[in-house]
Amino acid sequence: MIRSISLATIAVIALTGTARAQWGWGWGFGGAATADQAAAMGMADLVNAAGSYNLQTSEAAINLEQARSIDLDNRLKGTQTFFQMRKINTESRRAEEGRRMTSEEAWRYAQIGAPKRVTPYQLDPVSGRIYWPISLQDPKYDEYRKQLDELFHQREITHGNAGFEVFTKIQDTTTAFLADLKKQIATLPSGEYVNAKNFIESLAHESRFPAA
């Protein structure tokens, strides 16, 4: 708040200047020859000081208001930027998500990624005999092959009436077979590994369908 110097203060300083002139104070200091001159000079000094003070106070108030205005502008710009970025992110996510997939489309895409069904050259539809590829005829896989041979034979001769128990055993055996095969990924040629993996997955997938 800008403060002004009261008239009483001015009067005190003026009287002080008069007294100094009457009693000889300040003779030769400041050039005042009479009490009136001393009072006038004191008044002038006081006015100058008051004016300087008021000017500096006014400038300080202006600077403070400018600083507040700049701060408010920065906050406003920051808030606007935040909401603009959020809007852009929301629109980008919506564009990426696109429309919802229908159940028919979801089924079709699932079929594309699903393993292929075995052919009669891989699984005999009458006896259930499995024709194992060379890469899976290693003796370390004997137990897996034996179990799956028996399970698919049982499945075929019962025309799929072996039930859920056989299906579950096929799934468990093929899962363990794949895990063991994966340990050999560094030693098998890439082509043989992929063919062996696809063959086991096709057996697991085939067990989901009715027997021939």
Side-chain angles (χ1 to χ4, degrees):
M1 179 184 295
I2 300 176
R3 298 179 180 178
S4 60
I5 300 175
S6 64
L7 294 176
T9 303
I10 296 174
V12 170
I13 294 175
L15 291 173
T16 301
T18 302
R20 290 177 61 188
Q22 291 175 347
W23 290 97
W25 298 349
W27 289 103
F29 300 94
T34 65
D36 291 337
Q37 288 180 351
M41 292 177 64
M43 180 66 71
D45 291 339
L46 180 61
V47 172
N48 287 336
S52 178
Y53 171 80
N54 291 337
L55 177 61
Q56 293 175 0
T57 303
S58 176
E59 291 177 348
I62 293 173
N63 291 337
L64 179 61
E65 289 301 320
Q66 289 177 344
R68 288 178 178 174
S69 177
I70 292 173
D71 181 60
L72 289 174
D73 288 342
N74 290 337
R75 292 185 183 183
L76 177 60
K77 291 177 181 178
T79 302
Q80 291 174 339
T81 301
F82 169 77
F83 283 105
Q84 287 175 353
M85 292 299 297
R86 191 171 71 172
K87 180 180 179 182
I88 292 172
N89 290 335
T90 301
E91 292 176 350
S92 177
R93 286 196 301 270
R94 287 176 179 173
E96 291 177 358
E97 291 173 357
R99 65 177 181 86
R100 289 185 177 274
M101 188 182 301
T102 65
S103 57
E104 181 180 353
E105 290 172 336
W107 181 86
R108 188 182 304 117
Y109 281 116
Q111 294 304 309
I112 292 175
K116 294 180 180 180
R117 295 190 63 179
V118 294
T119 67
Y121 299 100
Q122 295 172 316
L123 175 67
D124 190 316
V126 177
S127 65
R129 178 184 177 183
I130 302 173
Y131 299 99
W132 295 99
I134 296 296
S135 56
L136 293 177
Q137 293 182 20
D138 192 299
K140 61 175 167 285
Y141 302 134
D142 284 350
E143 189 61 30
Y144 295 120
R145 292 199 309 273
K146 180 181 177 181
Q147 292 180 21
L148 290 172
D149 283 336
E150 292 176 354
L151 290 168
F152 272 95
H153 176 68
Q154 185 179 357
R155 176 176 178 272
E156 297 301 334
I157 64 175
T158 60
H159 303 289
N161 294 324
F164 183 74
E165 182 180 358
V166 171
F167 167 77
T168 302
K169 288 181 178 179
I170 291 174
Q171 294 299 313
D172 292 342
T173 305
T174 52
T175 298
F177 202 167
L178 286 168
D180 209 358
L181 177 67
K182 190 175 182 180
K183 298 176 183 178
Q184 311 301 321
I185 191 171
T187 58
L188 284 174
S190 59
E192 289 186 18
Y193 173 80
V194 171
N195 290 336
K197 177 176 176 292
N198 291 341
F199 187 87
I200 299 172
E201 289 178 344
S202 293
L203 289 176
H205 186 57
E206 186 66 28
S207 67
R208 300 177 183 275
F209 297 91

